[in-house]
């Protein structure tokens, strides 16, 4: 990470799902650019580790994005401690590959909606009033390239990720009068616990050969997109979905 770029100095960012994988890396990237970061995750120990790795400029918050009153109370308490939130990254998510339509029961479907879609909506609801008051804000939803081409055997996941891309356009329209920019990052395949647990290392490595750029993305490939959307350089960019995927979607992966 480039520690000389301090473009987010003075900003407060909140990243959900910050205990592992990409969320943890987004926290490191935003903090390296000077932001004070609130790292929120279900796993108290994991998020404490993320905060410890950064030091003083990171506040660890343990909260479940599916428990809406607790989530919103935790966000309010964190903002009281470190200041109003300028940048929200709705990253918390669960995977769901390898499930045929007939195998997705109601409990599995509801859990997918609760974490990947509803959690992002209500985290956003919690930060919007202070953004409106200060006429400034950046909301970044983490969607997926599956929202662009669909995903067989993960239709409930792809639908929730499509909802996250869909929220972007509506929220961008609704919030533009307050100078709040709303965009999404839709990553291609990245090696994290989510993908290791759902499709496995062999399949992940195999996909690299199908991707035009000949490799899968790194954590930084996605965090750079998030940091750019969080920066002043994209103040006039809203309602967009940016997909770092090495060309996967242009060849239909
Ligand atoms: P990951 O390693 O599994 O990380 C997801 C994080 O979200 C974990 O720290 C997890 O905490 C947290 N989380 C899950 N449920 C939560 C809840 N109810 N409340 C609070 N936190 C919760 O996954 P990842 O691959 O980094 O994925 C990050 C985001 O990118 C997700 O939205 C995912 O859908 C999206 N994405 C991933 C890929 C990919 O190829 N990896 C591609 C496209 C999009 P615990 O581990 O403690 O449960």
């Amino acid at each position: 990470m480039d520690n000389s770029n301090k473009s987010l100095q003075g900003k407060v960012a909140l990243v959900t799902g910050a205990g592992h994988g990409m969320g943890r890396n987004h926290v490191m990237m935003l903090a390296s650019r000077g932001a004070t970061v609130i790292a929120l995750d279900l796993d108290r120990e994991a998020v404490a580790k993320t905060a410890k790795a950064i030091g003083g400029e990171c506040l660890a918050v343990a909260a479940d994005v599916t428990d809406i009153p607790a989530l919103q109370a935790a966000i309010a308490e964190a903002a009281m401690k470190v200041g109003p939130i300028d940048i929200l990254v709705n990253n918390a998510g669960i995977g769901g590959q390898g499930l045929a339509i007939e195998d997705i029961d109601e409990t599995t479907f509801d859990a997918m909606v609760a974490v990947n879609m509803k959690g992002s909506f209500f985290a956003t609801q919690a930060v919007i009033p202070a953004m409106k008051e200060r006429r400034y804000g950046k909301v970044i939803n983490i969607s997926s390239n599956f929202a662009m081409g669909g995903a067989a055997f993960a239709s409930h996941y792809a639908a929730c990720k499509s909802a996250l891309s869909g929220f972007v356009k509506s929220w961008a329209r609704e919030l533009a009068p307050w100078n709040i920019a709303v965009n999404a990052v839709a990553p291609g395949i990245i090696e994290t616990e989510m993908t290791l647990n759902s499709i496995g290392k062999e399949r992940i490595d195999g996909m690299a050969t199908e991707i035009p750029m000949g490799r899968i993305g790194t954590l930084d490939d996605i965090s750079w997109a998030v940091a750019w959307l969080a920066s002043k350089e994209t103040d006039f960019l809203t309602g967009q979905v940016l997909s770092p995927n090495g060309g996967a979607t242009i060849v239909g992966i």
Side-chain angles (χ1 to χ4, degrees):
M1 265 171 219
D2 172 14
N3 284 318
S4 64
N5 177 347
K6 295 291 173 200
S7 54
L8 299 178
Q9 196 91 52
K11 302 290 184 211
V12 175
L14 165 64
V15 180
T16 68
H20 302 102
M22 282 191 263
R24 183 172 197 276
N25 205 65
H26 300 333
V27 172
M28 312 287 279
M29 182 68 74
L30 298 175
S32 80
R33 297 207 173 175
T36 298
V37 189
I38 302 162
L40 184 149
D41 199 275
L42 197 53
D43 183 340
R44 185 177 295 276
E45 264 178 45
V47 83
K49 244 189 232 168
T50 301
K52 201 169 168 207
I54 290 166
E57 297 307 309
C58 184
L59 176 71
V61 174
D64 181 345
V65 299
T66 69
D67 182 345
I68 307 303
L71 170 71
Q72 295 194 332
I75 291 174
E77 196 186 324
M80 289 281 283
K81 284 186 185 151
V82 298
I85 291 149
D86 300 294
I87 300 153
L88 168 66
V89 185
N90 280 315
N91 168 80
I94 52 173
Q97 293 201 49
L99 290 177
I101 296 164
E102 310 89 289
D103 296 330
I104 299 170
D105 62 22
E106 194 178 347
T107 306
T108 306
F109 187 94
D110 286 348
M112 184 62 71
V113 172
V115 181
N116 290 15
M117 182 180 164
K118 206 170 153 189
S120 299
F121 182 91
F122 286 99
T124 304
Q125 186 183 72
V127 304
I128 288 306
M131 287 182 175
K132 279 184 171 173
E133 226 169 78
R134 289 172 305 115
R135 302 188 73 81
Y136 182 83
K138 303 268 192 180
V139 178
I140 302 159
N141 285 350
I142 303 300
S143 177
S144 164
N145 64 336
F146 283 2
M148 305 170 102
F153 305 104
S155 57
H156 58 331
Y157 176 83
C160 287
K161 291 299 178 183
S162 301
L164 286 176
S165 300
F167 281 148
V168 158
K169 293 185 187 68
S170 303
W171 295 349
R173 290 177 75 131
E174 188 170 329
L175 299 171
W178 286 275
N179 193 36
I180 299 167
V182 186
N183 295 288
V185 173
I189 183 84
I190 307 292
E191 186 180 312
T192 62
E193 281 171 42
M194 180 183 286
T195 44
L196 285 170
N197 292 337
S198 57
I199 58 171
K201 176 89 174 124
E202 207 175 311
R203 176 73 190 116
I204 296 171
D205 291 343
M207 286 176 84
T209 60
E210 300 162 28
I211 294 170
M213 284 193 160
R215 66 172 178 90
I216 63 160
T218 64
L219 298 174
D220 281 353
D221 284 325
I222 311 307
S223 297
W224 280 318
V226 168
W228 185 58
L229 289 175
S231 76
K232 190 175 167 43
E233 289 168 0
T234 53
D235 276 357
F236 199 53
L237 200 149
T238 196
Q240 308 291 318
V241 179
L242 197 63
S243 183
N245 61 44
T249 49
I250 53 178
V251 295
I253 299 172

